[in-house]
Amino acid sequence: MNELFVTKNEDNIVIAVKEKGKLVEVVVEDFNKVSLIGNIYKAKIQHLSSGIQAAFLDIGEKKKALLPLNTPDGRIKFELISDIDEEVHQEMIIKAGDEILVQVVRDEINEKGAKLTSFISIAGNFLVLLPNVHFVGVSKQIRDRDFKSSIKSMLYSTIEPNVGVIVRTAALDATHAIIKREYFELLKIWKRISANIDKSISPTLLYKETTVSKKLIRDLMKKGIEHIYVDSKEIYHDILEYFSYIGINMKKKVHLFQFKIPILAYYEIDRELEKMFKPEVYLKGGASIVIETTEALTAIDVNSGKISRSRDNDSLIKDINIMAAEEIARQLRLRDIGGIIVIDFIDMSDELSKKELLSQLKKHLKNDRSTTKTLKVSQFGLVEMTRKKIGPSVIHYFINKCDCCDGRGYTPKPFYIGLKFVRWLKENGKNYSDDTLIVNAQENVVNSIRKNLMRYIETVMKENRMNVKIQVSDSIKNGICEIYSVNKVERVATVN
């Protein structure tokens, strides 16, 4: 069973995805930082840098945006060969002073400006429209040959000569009529953009992505989503309106969450998040994987641990490696690990076992909406692969790097400490009936609890006939929440 969980807080929206009961993806959209991804601009090329093979463009933001080049002389090649069943190749040459159409594919990160592409795409729920190229591609995750054949035939007879489309996985749930209708809606958007290109002076925003909740649901929706749980009435109605617009009846699958503790705690997503902050991930039977990310690459080590070696060693090692491959694929999605990844599996001498291991790894990676490339298992049991990062690290929305150990540890962020406190209160509140609990924390934690979590705390107070006072204490360490009982005249818990 596949499920989506959506929670709205004062500063962000958090969407979590579970597949077969396991958390596989978490997306956070920060209200304080507006994402530019998907926006289309008319922009002027300021200069070309042959050293890093990139062009810098002014899109109207403080930092100049970067457009990667394939050659120092301004040549850009576009190849779309990994995610769909068709190969698409395009090429253009640019120079300083040119005004071109560009689209943001990555937001600003630290000192780096936004990353651009000059090959425009407009995403819908079922299709992605690509102007200036004529083709119909189908997501490789769609394996139904009859569906692929019929959808391609329909779209080739529908699309204009200078337009291409990619059929997304969600199209499996839609009729041809609905897909055709979306094509014309996307085409209408592109024609509006085209009509304004010559009229506009660089830099100009020509197209802005849809609302946060609609964009996230659109990108995360795929065949097999059985339930969507939402704790905000605004987003709940926004999602229903979106599904109604695209012609899919999802009303019975979208639920307004109204329980007494936060949605992330009720479905134990907060416990999974806490595991995500640690490098070691434990597997069944005592085996584990260790994930270490550096500036250059991410290294993943597979350990057999205390698993019994009573069976044949080769068979045991293969089973551990295959079990680890499934969990590694999940962790790459969950932590959104990008760049070069080196996996150190336990050494296997049998070539058939190596092939089976690689096949299993690739099978589980197919569930990832990001692009991955995987090389063969080496004679030392190493697998080298790459993965395209989807967005900023989700981990940084919940924790801060520890100042004391130069980033090797972490301290929870205010909202996450508050979430852990509410869970503790729900589990232990019955022990403090007719009591008053004094909760001491730093000012940022107190403010976060008051903004986002008081309705849940008040519910627990009524259930247990108790009182909870939350107050600022400058003597409390960062990332800690201390709880005192007035009746017992002692500290009863520390949440960190």
Side-chain angles (χ1 to χ4, degrees):
M1 183 166 67
N2 298 337
E3 301 167 300
L4 287 180
F5 304 88
V6 186
T7 180
K8 182 183 179 183
N9 304 304
E10 190 77 12
D11 301 318
N12 55 46
I13 291 175
V14 181
I15 297 186
V17 184
K18 279 189 175 185
E19 292 177 358
K20 297 178 181 177
K22 289 186 176 181
L23 186 67
V24 295
E25 194 166 348
V26 178
V27 179
V28 181
E29 191 75 23
D30 193 340
F31 295 149
N32 299 317
K33 184 181 178 184
V34 179
S35 175
L36 303 178
I37 294 175
N39 287 0
I40 298 173
Y41 297 85
K42 180 180 179 180
K44 181 177 283 188
I45 298 168
Q46 302 291 303
H47 70 276
L48 274 61
S49 172
S50 59
I52 61 171
Q53 288 192 189
F56 290 89
L57 292 85
D58 179 10
I59 63 170
E61 297 295 316
K62 290 181 180 179
K63 296 172 186 173
K64 295 292 184 286
L66 181 143
L67 176 65
L69 307 174
N70 292 90
T71 61
D73 64 356
R75 188 180 299 273
I76 309 171
K77 293 180 181 178
F78 176 69
E79 295 183 331
L80 185 59
I81 58 176
S82 58
D83 296 331
I84 60 172
D85 60 349
E86 296 281 341
E87 293 189 10
V88 182
H89 302 273
Q90 282 185 310
E91 185 173 302
M92 65 185 294
I93 298 176
I94 59 172
K95 63 182 185 299
D98 284 352
E99 290 185 318
I100 62 172
L101 215 58
V102 290
Q103 187 168 29
V104 178
V105 294
R106 189 198 66 200
D107 282 318
E108 294 180 0
I109 298 178
N110 300 324
E111 298 304 313
K112 298 178 182 177
K115 186 178 178 182
L116 307 172
T117 179
S118 58
F119 297 96
I120 308 303
S121 63
I122 303 169
N125 194 62
F126 311 115
L127 301 173
V128 178
L129 185 138
L130 283 81
N132 306 318
V133 58
H134 187 69
F135 83 105
V136 175
V138 180
S139 167
K140 283 187 176 178
Q141 293 193 22
I142 296 177
R143 300 181 182 89
D144 185 328
R145 291 184 180 180
D146 291 337
F147 175 83
K148 287 169 78 170
S149 176
S150 66
I151 199 72
K152 278 191 168 189
S153 176
M154 183 274 288
L155 286 169
Y156 267 122
S157 67
T158 303
I159 64 175
E160 295 189 355
N162 62 339
V163 169
V165 291
I166 296 172
V167 181
R168 306 183 74 172
T169 312
L172 284 164
D173 286 326
T175 64
H176 281 196
I178 289 173
I179 293 170
K180 188 182 288 190
R181 189 183 75 175
E182 182 171 90
Y183 161 72
F184 286 113
E185 290 290 338
L186 296 175
L187 185 63
K188 195 184 299 180
I189 292 170
W190 168 240
K191 287 188 174 180
R192 278 201 303 267
I193 294 168
S194 300
N196 289 320
I197 294 174
D198 292 335
K199 301 175 188 175
S200 306
I201 300 171
S202 300
T204 298
L205 173 63
L206 295 173
Y207 171 73
K208 185 176 177 59
E209 260 286 15
T210 185
T211 63
V212 170
S213 56
K214 289 179 183 177
K215 177 186 172 186
L216 291 176
I217 293 295
R218 182 197 70 200
D219 291 345
L220 292 170
M221 272 299 293
K222 60 180 182 178
K223 186 174 175 63
I225 291 290
E226 294 182 35
H227 297 286
I228 301 175
Y229 299 95
V230 189
D231 68 359
S232 159
K233 287 184 180 179
E234 177 191 350
I235 296 177
Y236 171 76
H237 292 298
D238 209 18
I239 291 171
L240 288 180
E241 180 188 324
Y242 174 64
F243 284 131
S244 175
Y245 171 74
I246 63 175
I248 288 187
N249 184 11
M250 289 282 287
K251 191 170 183 179
K252 291 182 180 179
K253 295 186 178 183
V254 184
H255 313 280
L256 183 60
F257 178 88
Q258 295 178 310
F259 288 98
K260 296 172 182 177
I261 61 172
I263 194 169
L264 297 182
Y266 186 85
Y267 290 101
E268 302 199 338
I269 294 167
D270 58 335
R271 294 190 191 277
E272 287 292 320
L273 288 172
E274 189 159 10
K275 294 177 186 176
M276 188 171 75
F277 306 149
K278 299 173 183 177
E280 194 161 31
V281 181
Y282 292 98
L283 308 175
K284 289 180 181 178
S288 66
I289 60 175
V290 179
I291 304 169
E292 296 286 355
T293 299
T294 68
E295 286 293 326
L297 55 82
T298 297
I300 302 177
D301 188 35
V302 179
N303 299 313
S304 61
K306 298 178 181 179
I307 285 184
S308 169
R309 292 180 179 256
S310 59
R311 291 190 295 146
D312 176 70
N313 243 17
D314 289 342
S315 175
L316 175 65
I317 289 170
K318 184 182 77 170
D319 289 349
I320 295 171
N321 279 338
I322 288 174
M323 178 170 55
E326 180 178 1
E327 184 60 30
I328 287 167
R330 183 175 83 96
Q331 291 295 328
L332 293 179
R333 291 176 67 190
L334 188 55
R335 301 174 187 229
D336 193 19
I337 295 171
I340 298 171
I341 300 157
V342 178
I343 307 170
D344 185 6
F345 287 104
I346 304 169
D347 290 350
M348 296 186 296
S349 55
D350 181 46
E351 289 300 319
L352 286 176
S353 295
K354 289 181 181 180
K355 286 181 180 178
E356 185 179 350
L357 171 61
L358 190 64
S359 173
Q360 287 294 316
L361 178 61
K362 287 181 176 180
K363 170 188 167 185
H364 295 300
L365 288 172
K366 283 180 181 177
N367 295 322
D368 197 338
R369 65 191 176 104
S370 183
T371 304
T372 59
K373 291 183 180 179
T374 310
L375 301 181
K376 293 180 180 179
V377 184
S378 75
Q379 66 185 79
F380 302 111
L382 298 176
V383 171
E384 295 175 58
M385 64 172 288
T386 60
R387 181 181 182 276
K388 186 177 178 182
K389 196 172 178 63
I390 292 173
S393 175
V394 172
I395 290 176
H396 296 150
Y397 285 104
F398 297 98
I399 62 172
N400 289 311
K401 286 186 177 180
C402 178
D403 296 329
C404 301
C405 62
D406 195 28
R408 289 188 297 275
Y410 68 87
T411 54
K413 283 195 173 181
F415 172 74
Y416 189 62
I417 299 170
L419 189 64
K420 293 180 76 172
F421 165 66
V422 174
R423 172 179 280 282
W424 179 90
L425 188 64
K426 180 65 178 173
E427 293 175 350
N428 297 278
K430 60 183 179 293
N431 300 324
Y432 298 95
S433 294
D434 303 316
D435 196 352
T436 295
L437 296 181
I438 307 294
V439 182
N440 290 335
Q442 288 195 350
E443 185 175 4
N444 57 357
V445 176
V446 172
N447 289 341
S448 180
I449 291 173
R450 287 174 177 166
K451 283 181 182 177
N452 299 303
L453 301 166
M454 280 308 298
R455 57 181 169 141
Y456 301 111
I457 294 170
E458 287 166 359
T459 300
V460 178
M461 287 165 55
K462 288 178 183 176
E463 281 181 350
N464 297 288
R465 303 188 313 280
M466 63 187 297
N467 194 20
V468 177
K469 292 184 178 179
I470 300 165
Q471 58 190 32
V472 176
S473 174
D474 294 332
S475 63
I476 300 293
K477 291 181 181 179
N478 186 31
I480 287 178
C481 185
E482 290 187 347
I483 306 162
Y484 294 83
S485 163
V486 170
N487 289 354
K488 295 182 178 180
V489 197
E490 65 179 9
R491 184 172 67 191
V492 293
T494 299
V495 175
N496 55 19

